[in-house]
Amino acid sequence: MASTPEVSEQQQLRKSLKNRHIQLIALGGAIGTGLFYGSSESIALAGPSILLAYLIGGAAIFMIVRALSEMSVEDPKAGAFSYYASRYWSKRAGFISGWNYWFNYVLVSMVELAVVGSFVNYWFPNIPQWASAAFFLVLITILNLFGVSEFGEFEFWFALIKIVAVIAMIAGGIAVIVANLPTDSGVRASFANWFTVDGGFFPHGALSRTSDGHWTGLLMALVVVMFSFGGTELIGVTAGEVENPRRTIPKATNGIIWRILVFYVAALGIIMAVVPWDRIDGQMSPFVQIFDSVGVPVAAGILNFVCLTAVMSVYNSALYSNSRMLFSLARQGNAPAYLGRVNKRGVPVAAVLTSAAVTVVAVFVVFLWPQFAFNYLMSIATIAAIINWTMIMITEMLFRKRVAAGDGPGELRGLRGDEALAKIQFKLPGWRWMPYVIIAFLALVAVLMCFSPSYRIALVAGVVWLAVLFAAYALTQRAGR
């Protein structure tokens, strides 16, 4: 078991995040490129049945976050599952979990920066996408150098803009449907479009192959859907800076269910009722296309601004979580010590700047390979997320074993067996079997990635990346002797 070195109060993160911050941060981390931009790809793969894919994937991600929150409520620490993997599994597991999460969010940052230019180009088509990526990289880095309470405020308002906009889009879409307004597609807005347009609700079935050899269908869409949900685990990462984790974390975690229903299922359902699913071409966000299709360019421009805000929000969260993960890794002894230092405001400045510096690579990737930037980086980020989520579920099982053995955190320490397990405040539903179900589901998603060329490369990259992490840990241990 890895030990965390004692540090002075001045060298600790500040517990300044309030309940309203956590509620919106939890939402902001999951609503970004995957919903506003990547949803066009998932709709193309599954048609209206994508709604089922979001329900299935949402149920899985909810259980993953519940598993993480179970540990966060009892043992709130910065770095969340990296710390828990180190504490309840092994120092090597903490190293692999933490660095993989950091790598995952560097990739997510690259994906967000890769598409930010498409939203800027809606108004300013002559601005190069790499220039937009560079501008927002610098801006968000500066925001993250403020204290955590200021970060919470920025993210609160970023997320609030997304919430209001999506709800307004849903209300506007319902109004278009009720009024039966014509669209530029020639198809009247109606929920019947889910079942009558080009193949109905399951146009490609569960899994099918097109004439050009590409796999489509509900199951293939699950891969894109799971990328969309990346970021929900940010609830656990914030645990070390929350004022009242025992009250705040359960409330934010349980709120994920209605967020999935409203912001994914309801929103995309409305979009496909107004814009026939086979007309969603991916040239612009489906959220913008819905208003373009009924001749309301002003509303489309407003939604484009919201999409831009959403991308900024996710990158803001990504940089925050990456800096806290490096901070936690340094405190575990799994990263250079300088990354574990904080300034007078409780900000791990070196960790923020290091993560931002690595993400600068995104600007060059966007400039040199704009199509690669989204397609391949998203797929590699997905396999990195699957590794994270799998390790969370395994760590939760090991956490319970340690609790039952009398080695639990806080109030659980010294208690044993069923008595100790009964004292866990925020239990994972079906904890005896649920981790195995979720791990099997994640394994299915990994297998499905083999059916797509871009995701197949990512799967290979994931195996190579794990090998690199194992080798890096072995080298660091040898160097430390």
Side-chain angles (χ1 to χ4, degrees):
M1 180 178 68
S3 60
T4 304
E6 294 295 326
V7 290
S8 67
E9 184 69 25
Q10 290 74 23
Q11 284 298 308
Q12 296 284 5
L13 300 174
R14 303 287 187 265
K15 293 184 179 293
S16 304
L17 291 177
K18 304 181 185 300
N19 177 59
R20 65 185 181 88
H21 294 149
I22 299 302
Q23 293 288 333
L24 274 294
I25 287 171
L27 180 57
I31 297 181
T33 301
L35 176 61
F36 287 112
Y37 193 88
S39 54
S40 59
E41 180 185 354
S42 59
I43 290 171
L45 286 169
S49 66
I50 190 62
L51 303 179
L52 289 180
Y54 276 105
L55 286 173
I56 295 168
I61 203 68
F62 175 66
M63 292 303 169
I64 291 168
V65 178
R66 279 295 300 257
L68 177 58
S69 297
E70 177 182 282
M71 296 181 283
S72 297
V73 168
E74 299 298 336
D75 195 7
K77 291 290 191 301
F81 42 86
S82 173
Y83 167 81
Y84 303 137
S86 180
R87 164 78 166 83
Y88 303 108
W89 190 344
S90 68
K91 185 178 179 181
R92 178 170 60 186
F95 179 95
I96 292 171
S97 176
W99 281 109
N100 179 69
Y101 183 83
W102 179 83
F103 173 71
N104 177 26
Y105 263 94
V106 166
L107 293 176
V108 168
S109 299
M110 290 182 180
V111 171
E112 301 300 325
L113 291 172
V115 301
V116 71
S118 66
F119 299 119
V120 173
N121 288 160
Y122 182 84
W123 300 296
F124 307 105
N126 295 324
I127 294 180
Q129 292 201 11
W130 66 265
S132 298
F135 173 80
F136 286 107
L137 186 150
V138 173
L139 176 64
I140 297 301
T141 300
I142 292 172
L143 293 182
N144 269 265
L145 293 176
F146 291 103
V148 69
S149 58
E150 286 81 1
F151 161 81
E153 283 298 317
F154 281 121
E155 192 54 35
F156 175 86
W157 290 106
F158 277 154
L160 191 61
I161 290 171
K162 291 187 283 189
I163 292 170
V164 172
V166 174
I167 292 175
M169 188 280 295
I170 291 173
I174 291 174
V176 170
I177 295 167
V178 171
N180 198 24
L181 295 178
T183 68
D184 61 7
S185 69
V187 179
R188 292 274 178 175
S190 170
F191 289 112
N193 291 338
W194 294 1
F195 307 98
T196 59
V197 173
D198 194 18
F201 193 76
F202 288 96
H204 303 305
L207 189 66
S208 61
R209 200 169 191 177
T210 61
S211 57
D212 59 359
H214 289 90
W215 290 91
T216 61
L218 174 64
L219 291 176
M220 288 304 300
L222 278 175
V223 179
V224 182
V225 164
M226 293 312 292
F227 170 80
S228 300
F229 289 133
T232 48
E233 70 282 343
L234 189 60
I235 295 172
V237 177
T238 63
E241 295 174 275
V242 175
E243 285 184 347
N244 188 347
R246 290 212 160 187
R247 179 176 63 88
T248 301
I249 291 176
K251 192 172 182 180
T253 301
N254 287 333
I256 288 174
I257 286 295
W258 70 263
R259 293 178 197 126
I260 290 169
L261 291 174
V262 172
F263 293 98
Y264 283 90
V265 180
L268 294 184
I270 293 292
I271 286 172
M272 289 184 291
V274 176
V275 183
W277 74 267
D278 59 347
R279 308 293 177 90
I280 297 174
D281 53 17
Q283 295 302 309
M284 64 177 70
S285 168
F287 286 76
V288 176
Q289 192 175 349
I290 184 176
F291 285 103
D292 261 359
S293 69
V294 293
V296 189
V298 174
I302 293 172
L303 271 178
N304 190 72
F305 169 74
V306 172
C307 292
L308 176 61
T309 304
V311 170
M312 292 172 59
S313 169
V314 175
Y315 178 50
N316 189 38
S317 296
L319 186 56
Y320 164 83
S321 59
N322 264 353
S323 64
R324 271 50 180 184
M325 190 58 69
L326 288 183
F327 170 85
S328 178
L329 285 166
R331 291 295 172 89
Q332 296 168 30
N334 279 327
Y338 81 95
L339 295 170
R341 299 173 190 148
V342 299
N343 64 8
K344 293 180 179 179
R345 301 174 65 87
V347 178
V349 173
V352 171
L353 294 178
T354 299
S355 295
V358 174
T359 311
V360 168
V361 175
V363 178
F364 295 100
V365 171
V366 171
F367 176 65
L368 296 173
W369 305 290
Q371 200 58 38
F372 165 89
F374 186 75
N375 292 337
Y376 287 93
L377 290 180
M378 185 178 79
S379 62
I380 296 171
T382 302
I383 192 62
I386 288 173
I387 294 170
N388 284 333
W389 296 331
T390 302
M391 294 190 74
I392 288 173
M393 301 313 295
I394 294 173
T395 302
E396 189 273 343
M397 291 189 285
L398 295 172
F399 164 77
R400 281 183 166 270
K401 285 185 178 180
R402 295 287 284 272
V403 169
D407 190 25
E411 298 175 3
L412 301 176
R413 182 172 292 278
L415 301 177
R416 292 180 176 273
D418 291 340
E419 180 189 6
L421 295 175
K423 290 286 187 179
I424 294 175
Q425 294 291 314
F426 192 53
K427 299 178 179 67
L428 170 68
W431 60 269
R432 294 183 187 276
W433 48 269
M434 186 60 71
Y436 299 102
V437 172
I438 299 303
I439 291 170
F441 173 78
L442 294 173
L444 171 63
V445 174
V447 170
L448 290 169
M449 293 177 72
C450 297
F451 289 80
S452 170
S454 60
Y455 284 101
R456 194 179 305 132
I457 292 173
L459 200 59
V460 174
V463 173
V464 172
W465 171 239
L466 276 178
V468 169
L469 287 176
F470 275 99
Y473 178 77
L475 289 174
T476 57
Q477 293 305 294
R478 186 176 302 174
R481 289 173 185 164

